[in-house]
Every structure is written in structure tokens, then in C-alpha cells.
Amino acid sequence: MAYFENVEKIQFEGPKSTNPLAFKYYNPDEVVGGKTMEEILRFSVAYWHTFTMDGTDPFGQGTMIRPWDRFSGMDLAKARVEAAFEFFEKLNVPFFCFHDVDIAPEGSTLRETYKNLDEIVAMIKDYMKTSKTKLLWNTANMFSHPRFVHGAATAVNADVFAYAAAKVKKGLEIAKELNAENYVFWGGREGYETLLNTDMKLELDNLARFFHMAVDYAKEIGFTGQFLIEPKPKEPTKHQYDFDVATGLAFLQKYDLQDYFKFNIEANHATLAGHTFEHELRVARINGMLGSVDANQGDPLLGWDTDEFPTDLYSTTLAMYEILQNGGLGRGGLNFDAKVRRGSFEPEDLFYGHIAGMDSFAIGLKVAQKLIDDKVLDQFIAERYESYTYGIGKEIVEGKTDFHKLEAYALENDQIKNVSGRTELLKAKINQYILTVLAE
Ligand code: XUL
Ligand code: CO
């Protein structure tokens, strides 16, 4: 049975197309910098935003019209799987992602929840046999149910810690069963509301214990996917422990976990942390920790995680610049952790949202590749730091100086000449490159 009857397989029709159900820039077979767009971009659909969420917000009920919503319970879960694989095929997308509770309803006991999961995972596995869409990552939702009111691995109650461990254990088994490329940890309620009632040190130590146990279990069952931490500064907690990449990295290093994890970087989480998307990608990249991306965007006028489909070409360009400089995303991908607006409630809007995001990243990719090919930023940056390639600068970089030598040098060279950083010129160049790609 078809859930998206009005939609045929989405084709690349080029920038002149007026067909809203066609790609204008994302051409999976087009080669950019030696690889196809499909290989580089590794797009993924987020199950929760696309098949599960109904448009509820703190002020109002769901608005989404979803043909599968005439079912309930396990029948609804099965209908969603059918709808999902129809959607993946029509969108021609290589990956998807889910939380455990997105795919199967929780039972009244943990055993019943496992049973529900097993049934749906078996169904998904069956679909995957004939589908080209693979699992980018799965994760455990440890933030919606009231039992997680005080956190999961950082909960005040050891029973909750044990329950969370059981959920992740099951999640890793599912990841292995479905051949997931990665397994994600997003610490939704791993943080605190007030220090007045919080033992921060114990909570952080426990979080590290939890991660070590996850690493051990993955080894035990032979799950070889990449572990990813997805930083976010706040929401739902006031202060989330994996605030941003730098905080997450310090945590991983302190607890000897850095060899087992990389980061899943979400654009809207970056901006909530007071960073740009590209800042977070850069911090991860220069530390060899860039694993995957949750591709979305926030709204500067709203202070929360709006999870919009990415359409800002400036941002997709700078993000793709980081990703290309990283040599790609390896096992990671660009997962649309993005939802259509509450007012975009028709099933077709799910296609329009994804097409908008895919085209925006395709443009970003082409612009970024040109910037790299023409060494626009590389050359400017190399020249800007040239003083470290000879003389005293070279000695600094090579560790051949100390404060005595530097003082002696400074005493003879205290009439310093600086050079402009040319921010405006560079921004104009980026605009020029974006416009050139759009005009092609
Ligand atoms: C929440 C968020 C999550 C994670 C997975 O802000 O981004 O959906 O991506 O738990
Ligand atoms: Co996310």
C-alpha cells in the first residue's frame, strides 16, 4: 500500500526545473572533487521528525496529516515502517536514523518493550534486504519517559542508571543486527537544573562509567560501528554536560574515552551554545573527532532548538568546507534532524523539506569544492601566518625558543607592523563563489 500516492521518485531536473518535487542541485551521480554527490553527502532521514512527530508544541496539539495515523499501537509502528521505506525510496536517500521509541511503542514492562522492538527490528531488517537505504545510526531515547526526570546515566537513582544501561545494551544489539554505521549518545537530560541538589562530580563519573560499559559491550558483541556523542548546551536541561565539542572532548580525554568516540555535530545545537556550526565542525576536525552531522538550522530570533531544514547557503557552504577539509565524513553522514514547521502539515511537505535541505547541501558542496580548488581561503590563511615559516616564527613552531631568546628578539624588533585580516573582502568572495555556482 502507498502512503505517498501523489509522489513519484524524486529526480534531478536541474536549476531551471519548476517541478517542486524534483532536485534542482542535488544530482546523486554528479562528481565533485573526484567523488559523487551521493558518496560525499550521505544524506539521512530522521525517523522521529518524519514519521513519528505530530506537530505538538507547548501551546497546541498535533497538526500533521499522516496517512499512517489511522492505525494505533503495533499496527501504527508497522505502518510507519512501510511508509518510511516508501519515503526513502522515493527520496532516493542512502541512510536513516532512529531512537528506540520512534520505531516501536514502549510496553508496560521493559520485557514487553524489548518484544515490541524485536518485532519491528525484524520487519525493518526484512525491508533493508531489498532497499538501498542503510542505518546511519540508532540511539536510545532516555529523555521522554518520566523515569528519566532526573537524567539517565547521570540520574540520582541507581535504578534509573541500570534501566538506561539496559536500553543502551538493547540499542547496541539492534545496531549490530541492522548493521548501523554508528551509535549515538545525545545526553538530553544528562545535566542539571540547580547545584543546590546536584552532586556534579558523581554524575560525571557515572556518565564515564556508563560509556566505558557501552564500549565494553560493543566489543563483546562485535559491534564495530563508530560511537558518537552529540553535544548540546541546554534544552531540556538547563545545563547539559556535553555542552559543546570542546567540553565533550575534555570529558572524553579526562576519562580515557577519546579513542572510542567521535562527535555528531548538530547545527542548531552549535548556535544554542553560542557558536557557529562551522566552529563546532572545526573544533572536532582539528582534533580528529568529526564523526557525523545533524543537518538542520535554528532561528536567530528564537532561543530554542527549532530544528529547521537547512536552507542557509552560507552555512551549508562553510559546513561543507569543513567536511571536505576533513576528507569527508567517513562512516558518518548528513542526517536531517529537522522537522517541517507546524503549519506545513501535509505529507508532501516532508518531501519539500528534504529536497530543500538536500539541494542546499549540494550547493554548499559545490561552492566549498571550488573554494578549495582555487585555494581562496587556504592561500590567504597561509600568507596570514607566514611569519611562522621563517626566522623567529619558525623557531617558535619548532620549539627552539624560550622567553630569554624571545625577549632579546622583541627588544630589537619592537616596532611591529600588522596586516589587515580582510574579513569583508573574504565575505564578498564567498558571496561571489555562491553566486557563480548558482549561475552555472
Ligand atoms: C535533540 C536531538 C536528538 C538527537 C538524538 O536536540 O538532536 O534528536 O539527535 O537523540
Ligand atoms: Co540531533
Side-chain angles (χ1 to χ4, degrees):
M1 107 137 257
Y3 290 96
F4 303 98
E5 289 175 328
N6 306 331
V7 181
E8 303 291 319
K9 189 164 180 162
I10 310 296
Q11 308 286 349
F12 170 71
E13 291 186 7
K16 293 209 168 67
S17 168
T18 54
N19 176 4
L21 287 168
F23 296 119
K24 319 296 181 301
Y25 298 95
Y26 177 61
N27 178 1
D29 301 325
E30 185 175 333
V31 175
V32 180
K35 281 189 196 154
T36 65
M37 281 196 178
E38 188 170 34
E39 282 168 329
I40 306 168
L41 294 167
R42 295 170 63 86
F43 288 126
S44 157
V45 171
Y47 209 93
W48 53 103
H49 286 312
T50 309
F51 309 110
T52 314
M53 79 105 187
D54 66 359
T56 304
D57 77 5
F59 301 94
Q61 298 163 9
T63 56
M64 298 299 156
I65 299 169
R66 300 290 180 250
W68 49 90
D69 275 352
R70 60 177 183 273
F71 299 103
S72 64
M74 284 297 280
D75 289 339
L76 172 58
K78 288 175 192 166
R80 281 185 178 131
V81 175
E82 288 168 7
F85 279 88
E86 182 189 340
F87 188 81
F88 301 153
E89 191 177 333
K90 288 187 167 167
L91 190 64
N92 187 22
V93 78
F95 292 102
F96 71 115
C97 297
F98 62 79
H99 301 83
D100 46 7
V101 304
D102 305 331
I103 58 164
E106 288 197 78
S108 49
T109 63
L110 184 57
R111 281 200 177 81
E112 198 182 317
T113 301
Y114 279 2
K115 200 172 143 278
N116 292 349
L117 275 169
D118 289 342
E119 204 175 329
I120 300 298
V121 167
M123 184 175 172
I124 290 177
K125 192 173 178 183
D126 233 36
Y127 267 89
M128 286 174 80
K129 280 184 194 147
T130 51
S131 165
K132 70 165 226 185
T133 306
K134 296 191 260 182
L135 184 57
L136 185 66
W137 51 261
N138 61 312
T139 185
N141 176 322
M142 306 204 285
F143 43 90
S144 295
H145 192 280
R147 77 175 69 85
F148 298 117
V149 62
H150 299 310
T154 65
V156 296
N157 181 345
D159 288 354
V160 178
F161 186 99
Y163 195 102
K167 255 169 103 75
V168 171
K169 177 176 178 288
K170 185 73 180 167
L172 292 171
E173 289 159 12
I174 292 171
K176 177 157 162 72
E177 180 76 7
L178 297 180
N179 227 345
E181 302 271 325
N182 307 271
Y183 186 86
V184 162
F185 294 89
W186 169 61
R189 293 194 192 272
E190 312 291 28
Y192 67 89
E193 177 69 33
T194 170
L195 288 175
L196 298 178
N197 64 12
T198 301
D199 184 341
M200 188 196 269
K201 180 161 189 318
L202 178 64
E203 291 200 1
L204 286 165
D205 288 350
N206 280 348
L207 186 57
R209 291 182 181 109
F210 193 92
F211 285 148
H212 273 291
M213 286 187 249
V215 168
D216 290 347
Y217 190 65
K219 274 192 199 148
E220 187 185 324
I221 62 171
F223 171 63
T224 53
Q226 174 68 53
F227 275 7
L228 300 170
I229 294 210
E230 184 178 324
K232 185 176 181 181
K234 58 188 169 193
E235 198 202 1
T237 50
K238 183 160 115 180
H239 188 110
Q240 194 172 303
Y241 287 133
D242 43 15
F243 190 95
D244 59 3
V245 174
T247 312
L249 183 57
F251 171 87
L252 292 175
Q253 286 170 340
K254 172 176 174 189
Y255 291 102
D256 250 334
L257 285 159
Q258 70 277 11
D259 295 343
Y260 310 109
F261 286 80
K262 287 188 177 178
F263 290 98
N264 181 38
I265 295 166
E266 178 164 328
N268 205 164
H269 295 182
T271 50
L272 283 177
H275 302 306
T276 59
F277 184 19
E278 58 272 20
H279 167 95
E280 287 293 82
L281 293 167
R282 178 72 62 96
V283 178
R285 167 163 86 78
I286 62 175
N287 286 290
M289 299 292 272
L290 176 49
S292 198
V293 168
D294 269 8
N296 63 11
Q297 69 185 30
D299 184 326
L301 300 183
L302 303 172
W304 62 91
D305 196 12
T306 58
D307 284 345
E308 293 169 30
F309 277 92
T311 51
D312 177 343
L313 303 182
Y314 214 93
S315 173
T316 60
T317 294
L318 297 185
M320 285 314 301
Y321 186 80
E322 295 303 322
I323 291 167
L324 290 176
Q325 298 278 11
N326 194 56
L329 286 169
R331 307 193 73 157
L334 293 173
N335 171 51
F336 291 111
D337 191 350
K339 59 184 176 218
V340 290
R341 298 304 85 194
R342 192 163 176 270
S344 307
F345 45 75
E346 292 175 7
E348 284 81 355
D349 290 307
L350 294 171
F351 283 95
Y352 298 146
H354 283 87
I355 291 169
M358 291 161 86
D359 273 341
S360 299
F361 266 92
I363 294 166
L365 164 63
K366 289 175 89 167
V367 180
Q369 184 65 51
K370 271 196 201 308
L371 289 169
I372 291 169
D373 290 346
D374 293 356
K375 296 192 169 46
V376 176
L377 303 176
D378 283 356
Q379 192 163 330
F380 184 82
I381 291 171
E383 283 169 17
R384 196 163 183 233
Y385 293 87
E386 208 181 5
S387 69
Y388 288 95
T389 61
Y390 57 83
I392 194 74
K394 191 158 187 262
E395 285 184 39
I396 292 172
V397 170
E398 290 175 353
K400 292 182 180 156
T401 47
D402 57 24
F403 272 13
H404 296 287
K405 265 197 191 176
L406 290 168
E407 183 192 46
Y409 179 89
L411 285 168
E412 299 305 318
N413 294 278
D414 59 355
Q415 302 305 305
I416 292 167
K417 254 184 83 188
N418 270 315
V419 175
S420 167
R422 306 256 188 263
T423 302
E424 299 75 8
L425 173 70
L426 294 169
K427 286 189 173 179
K429 275 201 189 208
I430 305 276
N431 280 350
Q432 192 184 356
Y433 271 72
I434 292 174
L435 290 168
T436 306
V437 163
L438 292 176
E440 272 169 5

